[in-house]
Amino acid sequence: MSDRQLKVQQELQSHIATFIQHEANTNPLITVTHVDISPEFKNATVYFTTIPAEKENDALIFLKREGTALRTYVKNHMRIKQIPHFSFSVDYGERHRQHIDELVRETGTPASEYFAEPEK
């Protein structure tokens, strides 16, 4: 991944999060966890999670419905040659990480013990 691609991803993530903060309800709370952009900057996938988790489908419907407004917002707030087309996806990797954290807390074992080097 090029430095330019990484910078565009980070800036997009920030602008998308700001757009959602201003346009979406607080129920569910939508958090942008990551943005992937294609090498030619034509397409971007926005990964998100919600609180509560049961409202993921409602958030996905909202984001798809507001896709055109999001592109307009990005066009007005970023200096980028080509505005990407956005697709949206629930960040299941983040959900799984949260579940693992929860299981570790329940066992009371420090997480460092799970990832420590095995004794020889």
Side-chain angles (χ1 to χ4, degrees), residues 4 12 25-26 53 55 60 62 64 77 80 85 93 98 107-108 111-112 118:
R4 184 175 188 288
L12 273 174
N25 293 336
T26 55
K55 298 280 190 163
L60 184 60
F62 165 79
K64 286 181 178 180
H77 290 85
I80 188 171
H85 290 279
Q98 290 171 353
T107 63
S112 60

Coordinates of all heavy atoms in Angstrom, one line a residue, residues 4 12 25-26 53 55 60 62 64 77 80 85 93 98 107-108 111-112 118:
R4 N 0.4 7.5 -0.1 CA -0.7 8.3 -0.5 C -2.0 7.6 -0.2 O -3.0 8.2 0.3 CB -0.6 8.6 -2.0 CG -1.7 9.6 -2.5 CD -1.5 10.0 -3.9 NE -2.5 11.0 -4.4 CZ -3.7 10.8 -4.6 NH1 -4.3 9.7 -4.4 NH2 -4.5 11.8 -5.0
L12 N -10.2 9.9 4.8 CA -11.6 9.5 4.5 C -12.3 9.0 5.8 O -13.4 9.3 6.0 CB -11.6 8.3 3.5 CG -11.6 8.7 2.0 CD1 -11.5 7.5 1.1 CD2 -12.9 9.5 1.7
N25 N -28.7 9.1 13.9 CA -29.2 9.1 15.3 C -28.1 8.5 16.2 O -27.2 7.9 15.7 CB -30.4 8.3 15.4 CG -31.6 8.9 14.6 OD1 -31.6 10.1 14.4 ND2 -32.5 8.0 14.2
T26 N -28.3 8.7 17.5 CA -27.4 8.1 18.4 C -27.8 6.7 18.7 O -27.1 6.0 19.5 CB -27.3 8.9 19.7 OG1 -28.6 9.1 20.2 CG2 -26.6 10.3 19.4
A53 N -25.1 -4.1 19.2 CA -24.8 -4.9 18.0 C -26.0 -5.3 17.2 O -25.9 -5.5 16.0 CB -24.0 -6.1 18.5
K55 N -28.3 -3.6 16.2 CA -28.8 -2.6 15.3 C -27.9 -2.5 14.0 O -28.0 -1.5 13.3 CB -28.8 -1.2 16.0 CG -29.8 -1.2 17.1 CD -31.2 -1.0 16.7 CE -32.1 -0.7 17.8 NZ -33.4 -0.1 17.4
L60 N -26.6 -0.3 8.6 CA -26.2 -0.5 7.2 C -27.2 0.1 6.2 O -26.8 0.7 5.2 CB -26.1 -2.1 7.0 CG -25.6 -2.5 5.6 CD1 -24.2 -2.0 5.3 CD2 -25.6 -4.0 5.5
F62 N -29.1 2.7 6.8 CA -28.9 4.2 6.9 C -27.7 4.6 6.0 O -27.8 5.5 5.2 CB -28.7 4.6 8.3 CG -28.1 6.0 8.4 CD1 -28.9 7.1 8.2 CD2 -26.7 6.2 8.6 CE1 -28.4 8.4 8.3 CE2 -26.2 7.5 8.7 CZ -27.0 8.6 8.5
K64 N -26.2 3.0 3.5 CA -26.5 2.8 2.0 C -27.4 3.9 1.5 O -27.2 4.4 0.4 CB -27.1 1.5 1.8 CG -26.1 0.3 1.9 CD -26.7 -1.0 1.6 CE -25.7 -2.1 1.6 NZ -26.3 -3.4 1.3
H77 N -15.3 18.5 1.4 CA -14.3 18.6 2.6 C -12.9 18.0 2.3 O -12.0 18.2 3.1 CB -14.9 17.9 3.8 CG -16.1 18.7 4.4 ND1 -17.4 18.5 3.9 CD2 -16.1 19.6 5.3 CE1 -18.2 19.3 4.6 NE2 -17.4 20.0 5.5
I80 N -9.4 15.9 -3.3 CA -9.1 14.6 -3.9 C -9.6 14.7 -5.3 O -10.7 15.2 -5.6 CB -9.7 13.4 -3.1 CG1 -9.2 12.1 -3.6 CG2 -11.2 13.5 -3.0 CD1 -9.5 10.9 -2.7
H85 N -16.6 5.6 -4.9 CA -17.9 5.1 -4.6 C -17.8 4.2 -3.3 O -16.8 3.5 -3.2 CB -18.4 4.2 -5.8 CG -18.7 4.9 -7.0 ND1 -19.9 5.6 -7.1 CD2 -18.0 5.2 -8.1 CE1 -19.9 6.2 -8.3 NE2 -18.8 6.0 -8.9
G93 N -14.5 -8.6 12.2 CA -13.2 -8.8 12.9 C -13.2 -8.1 14.2 O -12.7 -8.6 15.2
Q98 N -13.7 -8.1 20.2 CA -14.4 -7.6 21.4 C -14.9 -8.9 22.2 O -14.9 -8.9 23.4 CB -15.6 -6.7 21.1 CG -15.2 -5.4 20.6 CD -16.4 -4.6 20.0 OE1 -17.5 -5.1 19.9 NE2 -16.1 -3.3 19.7
T107 N -12.6 -14.9 32.4 CA -11.7 -15.9 33.0 C -10.8 -15.4 34.1 O -10.3 -16.1 35.0 CB -10.8 -16.6 32.0 OG1 -10.0 -15.7 31.4 CG2 -11.7 -17.3 30.9
G108 N -10.6 -14.0 34.1 CA -9.7 -13.4 35.0 C -8.2 -13.6 34.8 O -7.4 -13.2 35.6
A111 N -4.4 -11.1 29.7 CA -4.3 -11.4 28.3 C -2.9 -11.7 27.9 O -2.6 -12.5 27.0 CB -4.8 -10.2 27.5
S112 N -1.9 -11.2 28.6 CA -0.5 -11.4 28.3 C -0.1 -12.9 28.4 O 0.7 -13.4 27.7 CB 0.4 -10.6 29.1 OG 0.2 -10.9 30.5
P118 N 5.9 -19.7 24.5 CA 5.8 -21.0 25.3 C 7.2 -21.3 25.9 O 8.2 -21.0 25.3 CB 5.5 -22.0 24.2 CG 5.8 -21.4 22.9 CD 5.7 -19.9 23.1

